[in-house]
Amino acid sequence: ACLDLQTEDNPYHPFFSRCDYEIARWAIQQGPSQNAFSKILSIDEVKCKLEVSYKNAHALYQKNDHELPGVSLWCRSVIQISGINKEFELFMRDPVECIKELWANSAYLNHLTYALEHHFADEGKGECIYDKLMSGNWSWEVQVHDFEYGATLVPVILSSDKTQLCQFQGDKTAYPIYLTIGNILKSIRHKPSFHAQKLIGYLPTVSLDGTDISANSACLTRVQFFHYAMWMVTSSLHTGPLTNGIEPISGDGVVHLGFPVLAAYVADYPGQALVTCMCYAQTCPKCFVTRDEQGDHVTGDPRQQQQSVHTIRHASQQSTRVRTEAVVRDHGLNLILNPFWIGLLHCNIHL
C-alpha cells in the first residue's frame, strides 16, 4: 500500500507519495513506451490501486518538465561599446539558482558543511588547523559580525580561465565563468566527476583591432568591459540574497536560510589583476608591494576591498581626468569606476 503524503511536509512533492514518485521514475527511466504507459493508466482499477498524480504519460512528462526543480535557464544579452560598431554577446545563468542546484544535489548531502568549525592540532587548542573554507578566519568574521544566529554562510567561489576559449558562430569567441560554494568539501569540489563547478556564463572576448583606439585605451576598455559583463552575471548577488538571504533546500528536504557571499575569485596572475583592477605587472593584487619588490618574497600590507572602494570613489570626485588617474595610480589601480564587486557586501576581492 502507498503511504499518502499529501501534506506541506511531503518530501516527494509534486508527487503524492513515495510510491507515486517511484512509478514516475520507473516510467521515465526504464518503463514502456508512452502509449503503453498511458493505456495502463486508462484502466480505472489500476489507477485507483496505484494512486498516482497523473492520468497519462503526457501529464507525467508535463509534471516532470514544469513542476520539478530543473536546471537554471540560460539567457543572452547584447553589449555594445560606445564608439565601436560591433555587438558582443553575453550568455549567463542566475548564480543564485545555480547555488540552489548545488545545494539540492543529493550527491553532496554528506559533503556539505552548514556551520563554521574550529580545528586544532593539540588538546590545549593552541594551534589551529585551517583545512577548509568554513574553518577560516574570514568565514568566522563574516558569520559572527554580519549574520544572525542560525543563518548559514554560503561562500561563493568564482573562477575563470581565458585559455579555455570557446568558438561561437563566425569569429566570436568567449571564455567560461564557473561557480561553486565553500560549503562543499574541497576534496569533492576538486573532483570533476562530482560536477561541483557550475558554468554560469560565457564572457565574450573584445577585439579592438582596426579601430583608432590607442593601445592603453584599448586595454582599459577591455577591463571596463569585463567588469560590466561580470556585474551583469552577478547582478542577482547584489540585491536580496545579501540582506534577506535565500532558502536553499538540501538533498534531504531540509530548508536552510543561507547568505551567499563572494569569498574568492580563482584565477592566474593576469586574471587576478583584471578582477581586482590592479595595474598588470606593476603591483600585487593581494598586498602593497612595489614593482621592484615583486619576486623577492617580500610581503606587504594586505589590501582591503574597502580601501580600494574608497580610492575609486575619491578618484571619481576629482575635477579633472589627470587628477583622477593620479589618485588610482598611486594605489596601483586602473581607472575602473564601477568594478563588479563594488556592491557585494562582506566581500574582500583581494583575498
Side-chain angles (χ1 to χ4, degrees):
C2 295
L3 178 61
D4 187 8
L5 293 175
Q6 297 185 61
T7 66
E8 294 182 357
D9 298 326
N10 178 11
Y12 298 100
H13 178 81
F15 300 99
F16 289 160
S17 62
R18 178 181 178 182
C19 179
D20 186 12
Y21 163 75
E22 292 293 348
I23 292 172
R25 182 181 179 185
W26 166 81
I28 292 174
Q29 295 183 348
Q30 303 173 357
S33 65
Q34 294 188 35
N35 288 336
F37 187 63
S38 296
K39 196 164 186 177
I40 293 175
L41 294 182
S42 66
I43 303 173
D44 293 338
E45 291 81 0
V46 173
K47 185 177 179 181
C48 181
K49 289 287 186 181
L50 295 179
E51 295 180 351
V52 293
S53 57
Y54 33 84
K55 62 181 180 180
N56 52 40
H58 176 73
L60 169 59
Y61 279 88
Q62 286 292 105
K63 182 184 291 288
N64 182 68
D65 292 339
H66 301 292
E67 297 184 41
L68 289 177
V71 178
S72 55
L73 299 178
W74 285 89
C75 63
R76 170 183 173 271
S77 295
V78 176
I79 304 175
Q80 289 184 316
I81 300 177
S82 178
I84 299 176
N85 187 25
K86 189 176 181 180
E87 292 183 344
F88 300 93
E89 292 180 314
L90 170 64
F91 295 91
M92 58 186 179
R93 293 197 289 175
D94 186 346
V96 171
E97 294 302 317
C98 291
I99 291 171
K100 291 180 179 179
E101 289 177 23
L102 289 171
W103 203 274
N105 194 328
S106 58
Y108 312 137
L109 184 58
N110 296 324
H111 307 290
L112 279 172
T113 303
Y114 304 106
L116 301 184
E117 301 176 356
H118 270 317
H119 295 185
F120 299 96
D122 57 336
E123 293 183 0
K125 299 181 179 180
E127 183 179 353
C128 289
I129 299 175
Y130 300 103
D131 61 344
K132 51 187 175 182
L133 207 158
M134 294 295 281
S135 64
N137 292 336
W138 173 86
S139 298
W140 277 94
E141 290 174 3
V142 173
Q143 177 78 53
V144 172
H145 293 110
D146 299 311
F147 297 132
E148 61 187 60
Y149 178 79
T152 300
L153 173 66
V154 184
V156 177
I157 304 172
L158 300 179
S159 59
S160 60
D161 186 357
K162 277 194 171 184
T163 63
Q164 297 180 353
L165 285 180
C166 302
Q167 185 76 36
F168 289 93
Q169 59 181 359
D171 60 346
K172 297 178 179 179
T173 57
Y175 62 97
I177 302 294
Y178 298 98
L179 175 147
T180 189
I181 53 177
N183 308 85
I184 302 175
L185 297 181
K186 64 180 181 181
S187 59
I188 301 300
R189 293 200 309 266
H190 295 166
K191 292 182 179 178
S193 59
F194 275 88
H195 306 287
Q197 302 284 341
K198 301 286 288 187
L199 178 63
I200 64 169
Y202 283 106
L203 298 189
T205 56
V206 179
S207 175
L208 300 177
D209 297 339
T211 65
D212 296 331
I213 302 177
S214 65
N216 290 337
S217 297
C219 180
L220 187 60
T221 298
R222 293 189 186 96
V223 178
Q224 291 173 333
F225 182 91
F226 166 83
H227 281 275
Y228 180 76
M230 281 300 300
W231 179 86
M232 294 183 66
V233 172
T234 60
S235 59
S236 65
L237 293 174
H238 285 75
T239 53
L242 289 174
T243 54
N244 304 321
I246 61 176
E247 295 185 346
I249 303 175
S250 53
D252 55 359
V254 177
V255 180
H256 299 258
L257 176 61
F259 289 84
V261 177
L262 179 59
Y265 195 112
V266 182
D268 54 13
Y269 173 74
Q272 291 183 26
L274 175 66
V275 170
T276 58
C277 302
M278 294 291 108
C279 295
Y280 178 71
Q282 300 296 318
T283 186
C284 174
K286 306 293 184 183
C287 64
F288 289 94
V289 295
T290 64
R291 181 177 182 179
D292 296 335
E293 292 173 329
Q294 287 182 308
D296 293 338
H297 303 288
V298 175
T299 302
D301 294 332
R303 292 182 180 271
Q304 298 294 330
Q305 179 167 313
Q306 289 182 344
Q307 291 177 304
S308 297
V309 171
H310 175 77
T311 300
I312 291 170
R313 289 177 174 167
H314 178 58
S316 66
Q317 296 171 354
Q318 301 305 303
S319 57
T320 65
R321 185 176 180 85
V322 174
R323 292 182 178 179
T324 299
E325 291 178 346
V327 170
V328 294
R329 186 169 56 250
D330 289 343
H331 289 78
L333 293 166
N334 279 310
L335 184 56
I336 308 300
L337 300 182
N338 293 293
F340 78 90
W341 38 261
I342 204 167
L344 295 174
L345 301 177
H346 320 300
C347 165
N348 185 3
I349 198 65
H350 297 292
L351 288 179

